[in-house]
């Protein structure tokens, strides 16, 4: 498939599933080296990261655990503004080596929320692994330690990423047609 239509938008093939797997393989090798002798806990941020998390996990030869979380945002009292909550994190993460697993880091707003909520629980370390990074959009200071691929500021779908709920099942990544 070279073109797909989701809702009202057309998308064209951008990164093949074979290329994605190669890049995840290389990223997994780096993590295996960096975490030799450690037992990292991967914390995958749903929904978008589920496919990447599964394939990355298969590349790991170090002993690793995984947990899936969701970020919920709601408005608290008038003075407190928007509040974020990490849903699903039942593990005790104090003293653990955490690897946050994201589908895509765009502006980094989501990442900062997750990062702050994790660091306040005093893990030993927190690093970030993302399938995709948009370096031209990212404007935060948290280091993105492991990015499988960097892309320009195009809107993409597939391999876990959606356009209004659709497209997550695609094996390849598609870019919006201008
Ligand atoms: P950020 O908070 O601006 O970094 O955006 C992160 C979230 O926005 C991701 O977890 C995705 O859900 C969504 N997102 C950002 N860029 C794209 C894209 O190109 N396609 C699909 N979703 C995207
Ligand atoms: Mg989304």
């Amino acid at each position: 498939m070279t073109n797909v239509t989701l809702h009202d938008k057309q998308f064209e093939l951008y990164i093949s599933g074979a290329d994605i797997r190669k890049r995840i393989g290389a990223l997994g090798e780096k993590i295996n080296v960096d975490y030799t002798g450690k037992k990292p806990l991967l914390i995958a941020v749903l929904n978008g990261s589920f496919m990447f998390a599964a394939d990355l996990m298969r590349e790991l030869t170090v002993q690793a655990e995984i947990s899936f979380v969701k970020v919920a945002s709601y408005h608290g009292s008038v003075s407190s503004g928007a509040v974020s909550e990490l849903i699903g994190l039942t593990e005790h993460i104090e003293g653990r080596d955490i690897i946050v697993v994201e589908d895509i880091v765009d502006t980094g707003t989501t990442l900062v929320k997750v990062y702050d909520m994790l660091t306040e629980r005093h893990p030993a370390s927190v690093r970030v692994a993302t399938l995709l990074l948009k370096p031209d959009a990212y404007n935060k200071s948290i280091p993105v330690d492991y990015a499988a691929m960097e892309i320009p500021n195009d809107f993409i779908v597939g391999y876990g990423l959606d356009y209004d709920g659709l497209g997550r099942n695609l094996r390849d990544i598609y870019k919006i047609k201008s």
Side-chain angles (χ1 to χ4, degrees):
M1 249 190 320
T2 53
N3 289 290
V4 293
T5 302
L6 301 170
H7 300 296
D8 56 333
K9 301 259 191 297
Q10 284 196 305
F11 296 83
E12 59 191 0
L13 183 61
Y14 185 42
I15 308 169
S16 74
D19 283 345
I20 296 168
R21 280 193 298 279
K22 251 185 250 168
R23 303 302 285 264
I24 296 173
L27 198 151
E29 277 179 36
K30 273 193 218 162
I31 292 176
N32 288 330
V33 171
D34 293 353
Y35 287 83
T36 303
K38 296 184 175 173
K39 193 166 53 172
L41 170 61
L42 278 63
I43 295 184
V45 184
L46 293 173
N47 291 328
S49 73
F50 72 98
M51 219 177 262
F52 172 48
D55 282 346
L56 178 62
M57 198 67 179
R58 272 186 277 254
E59 298 296 335
L60 298 185
T61 53
V62 291
Q63 288 190 27
E65 296 178 34
I66 191 164
S67 186
F68 292 87
V69 301
K70 264 194 172 189
V71 180
S73 294
Y74 56 92
H75 287 275
S77 63
V78 180
S79 57
S80 61
V83 181
S84 294
E85 191 191 345
L86 217 46
I87 297 179
L89 185 64
T90 51
E91 278 77 4
H92 190 67
I93 69 164
E94 188 175 333
R96 296 294 307 268
D97 293 304
I98 304 298
I99 303 175
V100 177
V101 179
E102 274 279 15
D103 54 350
I104 187 163
V105 176
D106 186 3
T107 63
T109 304
T110 312
L111 177 60
V112 168
K113 285 182 193 166
V114 173
Y115 194 91
D116 288 350
M117 287 186 278
L118 291 174
T119 50
E120 70 190 17
R121 299 176 191 213
H122 308 293
S125 67
V126 182
R127 286 190 182 175
V128 178
T130 186
L131 176 69
L132 295 151
L133 171 65
K134 292 181 180 175
D136 299 334
Y138 186 59
N139 57 20
K140 306 294 189 295
S141 57
I142 296 165
V144 179
D145 307 277
Y146 306 104
M149 294 172 284
E150 296 192 354
I151 58 167
N153 287 349
D154 300 311
F155 187 79
I156 51 120
V157 293
Y159 198 80
L161 288 132
D162 73 304
Y163 167 50
D164 201 7
L166 295 182
R168 297 193 197 274
N169 52 309
L170 298 165
R171 289 163 181 263
D172 311 292
I173 289 176
Y174 292 78
K175 177 169 86 171
I176 197 158
K177 275 186 162 177
S178 43

